[in-house]
Amino acid sequence: MKTYSLLDLLKLIISKWWIWVITAIVFAFVGFGFAKITHFKTYQATSTLTVAHNYSKISQADKQNNGQDAFDLTQSDILLQNSIKSLIKDSAITDNAKKKIDFSSNDINVNSPDNSVLIKISATAGKAKKAVKIANALSKSTKKILPKILPAAGKVIIAQKAVETIESTGPSAKKYALIGAIFGLVLSGVVLLWNDIKDKLR
């Protein structure tokens, strides 16, 4: 069996350089085209709610009997956050908001900072205006319905409406073109070198 030195391999590469270049360009265009076809933009809008007990509706007798003060009630609100987040995402609250604008549960995210009574509702959509509308519709629906289905939540206040969005984009065309070019070089190199070596080994 004939062996090949590094110099022999370099000579093979140089003799077929034009095939390498053409293949790299073709695959670069394939990668670029794929990125353009799958290219997309999404927009995320966020509104902020505060959820706390309505202290004015708690009688003095209740406070004495239960030994609760404002601090205790605030801690209770924090413990309720998980229940509140679940209700906002999948309950009559969401169904009511969908009457204003169409969206799915996958389009929304509800979270709250640690040790706070804030609820942040984020909505994602293909259009900036729609993302804002979803977030605000869900906030209004939460304010209206949450106290009815979860009385312990107390009063809901919309602290900040969604007014602007954060934009994110799909795959980078330049990145995919570069990946395609590298893949083309490697693939054509393996095929060409193997064919030449195989022929000379016969």
Side-chain angles (χ1 to χ4, degrees), residues 78-129:
I78 294 172
L79 293 175
L80 283 170
Q81 296 299 72
N82 287 335
S83 296
I84 292 171
K85 289 186 287 186
S86 297
L87 286 170
I88 293 174
K89 283 206 71 173
D90 188 19
S91 71
I93 294 172
T94 303
D95 294 337
N96 183 67
K98 286 180 179 179
K99 294 177 182 178
K100 303 291 183 181
I101 185 167
D102 183 53
F103 64 92
S104 70
S105 297
N106 294 330
D107 297 330
I108 58 175
N109 183 48
V110 184
N111 62 74
S112 60
D114 293 337
N115 299 320
S116 88
V117 293
L118 296 178
I119 293 286
K120 291 187 176 291
I121 298 175
S122 298
T124 303
K127 295 182 179 180
K129 288 184 178 180

Side-chain angles (χ1 to χ4, degrees), residues 41-70:
K41 287 185 179 181
T42 57
Y43 300 88
Q44 186 181 80
T46 303
S47 60
T48 304
L49 308 176
T50 60
V51 182
H53 284 290
N54 190 339
Y55 303 117
S56 64
K57 291 186 178 181
I58 300 176
S59 68
Q60 189 64 33
D62 289 335
K63 291 179 182 179
Q64 291 175 351
N65 292 335
N66 297 327
Q68 291 180 310
D69 57 18

